[in-house]
Amino acid sequence: MAFFAERLARVRPSASSGAAQRARELRAAGRDIVNLGQGEPDFPTPEHVIEAAARAMRGGATKYTDTDGTPELKAAIVEKFRRENGLAFEPRQISVGAGGKQVIFNALMATLDPGDEVLIPAPHWVSYPEMVAFAHGRPVVLPTEEKCDFKLAPSALEAAITPRTKWLILNAPSNPAGTTYTADELRALAAVLERHPRVWVMSDDMYEHILFDGRRFATLAQAAPQLAERTLTVNGVSKTYSMTGWRIGFGAGPAELIRAMATLQSQSTANPSSVGQAAAVAALTGPQELVTSRNAEFERRRDALLPKLAAAGLPCRKPAGAFYLYPRAHG
Ligand SMILES: Cc1ncc(COP(=O)(O)O)c(C=O)c1O
């Protein structure tokens, strides 16, 4: 009898976490290392957020909380969706987890049966297919073209849907290509999905606020409200507020799905960190100017690096958002 479970063979360790770990080891050994392994802003967490967390700790926010988020944080998230996305959710439609990563994991674990297919446009965040496979699903990677800015075409979506398709994962601005969709482009994808009422959509909006050249952010639940009953919108504080280590992410969608995710979470992490949740309340409800100024700094860095990469033989199209460059290396 093997000691390790069969399910372990279906998942590979996170490549980006592995690279970051190696960078930390080399740094600890005294080497001068620039760590580009994981997607995290180099800015510090805003001072008022740190202050709020310290106050919360002293005020007793050191105990277990409600499984999928404190009432204060859920209220702040409801308000964020109203203010920034024009979306109306109730607290029972909100799930808070230890990062967007746990929220996505919970949603997949709560819904996938063996053989269920999940459509993942490529290039994609490394974790999606691994999580799908871990949940016994089948990741179906949909290639896209650089000349189309790595966008999923409605015809490609239509062609990929089968009777086993359960989810489409849409991530924009995307990791790693910085691909974004306009509201009209989202509506064109939604028109396909309307013909396939069994297919749910996970809209991973983690990079919402890292968007360049004056573009306006669009998310599926707002562009296509007719799909709201089968859309899970995922977001978090990691990238927007430089809070990757605090581990707070959230999802918003149909209450039945949110309840199922809470059941899973109640038997794994029990709840996200009480201190992290208090910090996230401060981030979401406090001053937002830093979000804009840091975005401008990411845009400046993009523009500074693109010609240098091209000169080094690594041509790269201009990403519309997210803080990654996705150069061509085949030369
Ligand atoms: C596309 C995407 N979604 C979700 C996440 C998860 O972020 P977190 O778990 O820190 O909220 C990441 C992190 O790199 C990401 O790139």
Side-chain angles (χ1 to χ4, degrees), residues 120-125 141-145 150 171 174-177 179 326:
I120 306 171
H124 54 75
W125 181 37
V141 173
L142 307 180
T144 61
E145 290 188 65
F150 299 112
N171 168 221
S174 77
N175 172 359
T179 296
Y326 192 64

Side-chain angles (χ1 to χ4, degrees), residues 105-112 135 257 260-261 264:
F105 187 84
N106 286 344
L108 294 172
M109 288 296 278
T111 55
L112 293 181
L257 172 64
M261 290 160 62
L264 270 184

Side-chain angles (χ1 to χ4, degrees), residues 99-101 104 125 128 171 175 204 206-207 238-239 247 324:
K101 199 171 200 173
I104 297 167
W125 181 37
Y128 299 134
N171 168 221
N175 172 359
D204 180 346
M206 202 54 73
Y207 296 94
S238 289
K239 321 285 176 176
R247 308 309 303 130
Y324 305 101

Side-chain angles (χ1 to χ4, degrees), residues 16 37-40 97-104 124-128 131 169-176 204-207 234-239 243-250 322-324:
S16 47
Q38 267 173 322
E40 67 183 348
K101 199 171 200 173
Q102 191 186 17
V103 173
I104 297 167
H124 54 75
W125 181 37
V126 285
S127 288
Y128 299 134
M131 292 195 208
I169 299 183
L170 271 185
N171 168 221
S174 77
N175 172 359
D204 180 346
D205 299 353
M206 202 54 73
Y207 296 94
V234 179
N235 211 317
V237 295
S238 289
K239 321 285 176 176
M243 290 176 66
T244 48
W246 298 80
R247 308 309 303 130
I248 298 293
F250 45 87
F323 44 58
Y324 305 101

